[in-house]
Amino acid sequence: MAVVLAAAPLLALAALLAAAAIVRLWDYAVVRLLWRPYAITKRFREQGIRGPSYRFLRGCNDEIRSLKGKTDGMVLDIGDHKYLPRIAPHYLKWRAQYGEPFLYWYGPQPRICIFDYELARQILSSKSGHFVKNDAHPTLLALVGKGLGFMEGTDWVRHRRIINPAFTIDKLKMMTRTMLDFAESMAKELEDQTSQNKNGETKVDINRYFSELTVDNISYAIFGSSYKLGKEVFQAQTDLLEITMATFLDVPVPGLKYLPTESNRRKWMLERKLKSLLKQIIQPRLASGECGNDLLGVMLASCIETNKQGGKQVDLSLSMEEIIHECKLFFFAGHENTALLLTWSVYLLSIYPEWQERLRKEVLREFGSDPPNPNALGKLKEMAMVLFETLRLYSPALFMQRKTLSNMTVGSTKLPKGIAIVIPIPIMHREKEIWGEDADEFNPQRFENGISAAAKVPHGLLAFSMGPRSCIGQNFSMLEAKSTLALMLQKFSFTLSPEYVHAPVDLFTLKPKFGLPVIVTPLDMCN
Ligand code: HEM
C-alpha cells in the first residue's frame, strides 16, 4: 500500500507527460500535417491561387526530386544561357500549369513562389518586421551559423551596426591592395605553368583558382592572416554543404535531426571541427588584447569595450558564440559567391572575345601595365557592365526566401501567417517584360547607364537582393572581382577548353557542374 502511495506522484507525472505528448503529436500530425495543408490550399484557391497537391509529410519533394533528376543530365550548347530547366524545372512546370504566383509544399511547409517584381520589392524592402527569413535547413545552419543572415529584429540591428564599419569604402580600398597581392600570386602561378609548356599556354580549371583566391581574400578580411586555418574552415564548410545538398529533399521526419544517423554524426563532427577551428583563431587574438583592423577585430572590439564597462553596453556587443556564428557566415558568403562571379565572368568573356578585348583595352587605357590602382577601379565602366550582366545571367545567389510572421496582404494577395515566400532570382532575371526581348542573351550594353536604368524597373537586378537585408558584402565583392579581372586581362587571354561541358547546377549557389577548364595564354605569346 505504502509503495503504491509513493508511486502515485510519479504515475501522475507520467500521465501528465503522456497527455502533453499526445497533444503535441495531435497538433503536429493532425493539425500541421493534415488540417493546415487542407485549410491553406482552400484559402489560396479562393484567391485563384493554385499549385501541385500536397502529399502527406512529403509535400511536393518527390516531384521536385523526380523533375530535377530528369534534367540533371541535360547539357547545353556553349553560349546557350537557357539553363533554367536544369536548376528549376519544378518552378517552370508549375508556373506554366498553374499560373503565378503558385502554391507548393516543401515537406509540410507551404510555399508561395512569386515572380512579380513589385511584390518582391514590397516584401524585400519591408521594414515592418512581418517578413522574416525563412527557417533554414539544419545542416545549412550548421554550415553558415545563425549570424546576421538569419537574425531578426533588434539582434539583427545590433549585429549589422557593429559589422557595418568593417565595410566602409576606406577599409575596402585598403583591402583591395591585399586583394591585388593575392591576384598577383595567382597570376604568377599561372605564368609558371604556361612557361613549362612548349606552346606557352596552359589549361586550368579557373573555378578552382578563383575559389582559392577568394578564400585567401576572405580569410584576410575576417582574420587578418590565418590562411591555413581559413583553408581548413573552407574544407569543413564544403563538406557540410555536400551533406545539405544530399539531404535537402528528404522526408522531414520529426526528430530525425537528433538521431545518430551516419549523416547526422558526420554533420555533428564537422560542426564541432568548424567551431574548434574558429576558436583557435579567435581566442589568441582576444587573449592578446589587440583587436586588429579586420572584421574579427571590429567584432572583438565590441566585446572588449563591453567587458571594460562591466558588461553594461550589451546593445552594442557580441558574445563569443555570436562572433563564431558571424565568422562562419562571413567566411562562407564572402568567398563562394565572388568566386562564382569571377568564374562565370571568365566563361562569358571566353565565349564573347570581342568583350574580352574591349575590357582589356579599357584596363590598359586606365592602368597600362602598372598594377591596377584601387582608387581608380571605379573608372572601369565596361567592366562593371560585364559584371552586372554576369550577375543577371548567372547570378550565384538563386532562391531567396522569406516567411510571414502574421497574416499579411501584399498587392491583392492575402498571405497567411507562417507561409514561406520564394523569390526565384534567376527566373526573374529572364523576364522579357522587364529586361526586353533579349533577356536570354548576353548584352552588357543594357547596363550602359547604370543598374537602375537597365530594366523596366529600377530594382531589376536582384543578385545582391534589395532593401534592408541586401548583401553587406556587395562592394567588397565588386572590388575583388574588378581587381582580379583587371590583373588577369593585363596579363593573359583566355578561351574555353574544348573539354568544357556547359551544365550550370544548383548547389545552393549556381556552379559550373564540371568546373570551368580554360586555356590561358600570356599576352606576350598572343602578339
Ligand atoms: C557575388 C557576390 C555576392 C552575391 C551574389 C551575394 C548575394 C547576396 C544576397 C542575394 C543576399 C541576400 C539574401 C537574402 O536576402 O535572402 C546576401 C546577403 C548577405 N551577404 Fe552577400 N553576396 C555576395 C558577396 C558577399 C560577400 C563578399 C560577403 C562578405 C564579405 C557577403 C555577406 C553577406 C551577408 C553577411 C549577408 C546577410 C546580410 C543581412 O541579412 O543583413 N556577401 N548576399
Side-chain angles (χ1 to χ4, degrees), residues 106-410:
Y106 175 72
Q109 189 191 46
R111 289 187 174 178
I112 182 158
C113 187
I114 64 166
F115 301 87
D116 183 88
Y117 265 96
E118 180 48 25
L119 287 189
R121 188 193 64 76
Q122 288 185 30
I123 293 165
L124 293 173
S125 58
S126 168
K127 291 184 180 157
S128 68
H130 294 294
F131 295 105
V132 295
K133 293 286 179 94
N134 190 23
D135 316 322
H137 187 282
T139 319
L140 186 66
L141 267 193
L143 158 66
V144 294
K146 299 180 205 101
L148 200 57
F150 292 98
M151 316 189 121
E152 302 298 336
T154 49
D155 275 341
W156 174 78
V157 172
R158 176 170 54 95
H159 279 237
R160 189 117 184 180
R161 249 188 224 156
I162 292 171
I163 292 171
N164 267 338
F167 290 92
T168 58
I169 216 63
D170 287 344
K171 283 234 161 117
L172 290 178
K173 280 193 179 145
M174 270 162 57
M175 286 183 207
T176 314
R177 292 189 195 283
T178 319
M179 290 172 183
L180 280 163
D181 289 345
F182 285 128
E184 195 65 73
S185 313
M186 184 187 83
K188 175 85 183 50
E189 218 178 293
L190 288 171
E191 267 161 2
D192 289 350
Q193 287 218 29
T194 56
S195 64
Q196 282 163 23
N197 292 340
K198 270 202 198 116
N199 56 6
E201 57 184 39
T202 185
K203 189 193 80 198
V204 292
D205 176 2
I206 204 74
N207 181 232
R208 197 176 61 73
Y209 276 75
F210 288 146
S211 254
E212 286 185 11
L213 174 81
T214 53
V215 166
D216 277 338
N217 277 326
I218 199 67
S219 295
Y220 192 83
I222 306 180
F223 309 127
S225 61
S226 308
Y227 315 124
K228 193 173 162 289
L229 285 176
K231 281 186 180 146
E232 287 185 60
V233 172
F234 166 73
Q235 195 49 54
Q237 286 190 323
T238 307
D239 294 349
L240 276 167
L241 182 62
E242 206 175 283
I243 301 178
T244 310
M245 294 318 291
T247 54
F248 209 56
L249 291 171
D250 284 358
V251 177
V253 179
L256 188 69
K257 64 179 177 190
Y258 303 109
L259 295 182
T261 58
E262 197 184 330
S263 119
N264 277 346
R265 273 186 284 123
R266 191 161 151 67
K267 179 188 120 183
W268 296 331
M269 182 275 287
L270 288 166
E271 208 175 350
R272 278 195 305 275
K273 183 172 174 189
L274 199 53
K275 193 168 175 179
S276 128
L277 283 168
L278 291 170
K279 276 191 169 165
Q280 280 178 54
I281 303 175
I282 297 169
Q283 271 167 347
R285 188 86 81 81
L286 196 56
S288 77
E290 296 278 323
C291 291
N293 215 7
D294 45 35
L295 175 60
L296 178 59
V298 169
M299 294 194 283
L300 287 176
S302 81
C303 276
I304 289 171
E305 184 65 13
T306 308
N307 291 342
K308 273 187 194 154
Q309 304 200 2
K312 278 191 193 133
Q313 236 187 0
V314 279
D315 58 332
L316 264 190
S317 74
L318 297 177
S319 69
M320 180 55 65
E321 201 61 25
E322 287 177 319
I323 292 181
I324 290 177
H325 282 292
E326 290 303 354
C327 286
K328 278 190 197 177
L329 172 65
F330 274 85
F331 196 84
F332 183 75
H335 75 80
E336 163 108 342
N337 286 317
T338 318
L340 289 167
L341 169 60
L342 278 163
T343 301
W344 290 120
S345 302
V346 165
Y347 164 72
L348 289 166
L349 291 176
S350 302
I351 59 175
Y352 299 103
E354 65 285 10
W355 275 99
Q356 187 179 144
E357 208 36 53
R358 270 174 82 161
L359 295 204
R360 184 169 294 112
K361 278 196 181 129
E362 182 180 51
V363 172
L364 293 175
R365 200 166 52 234
E366 213 47 65
F367 305 121
S369 55
D370 296 337
N373 174 357
N375 295 317
L377 287 170
K379 292 188 186 160
L380 301 176
K381 291 272 175 315
E382 298 205 317
M383 185 180 288
M385 284 157 52
V386 165
L387 288 172
F388 291 146
E389 183 66 342
T390 308
L391 284 168
R392 186 186 72 84
L393 274 181
Y394 289 86
S395 169
L398 295 171
F399 308 108
M400 281 189 283
Q401 293 178 20
R402 295 292 184 272
K403 192 177 75 171
T404 50
L405 269 195
S406 53
N407 291 342
M408 296 292 293
T409 303
V410 193

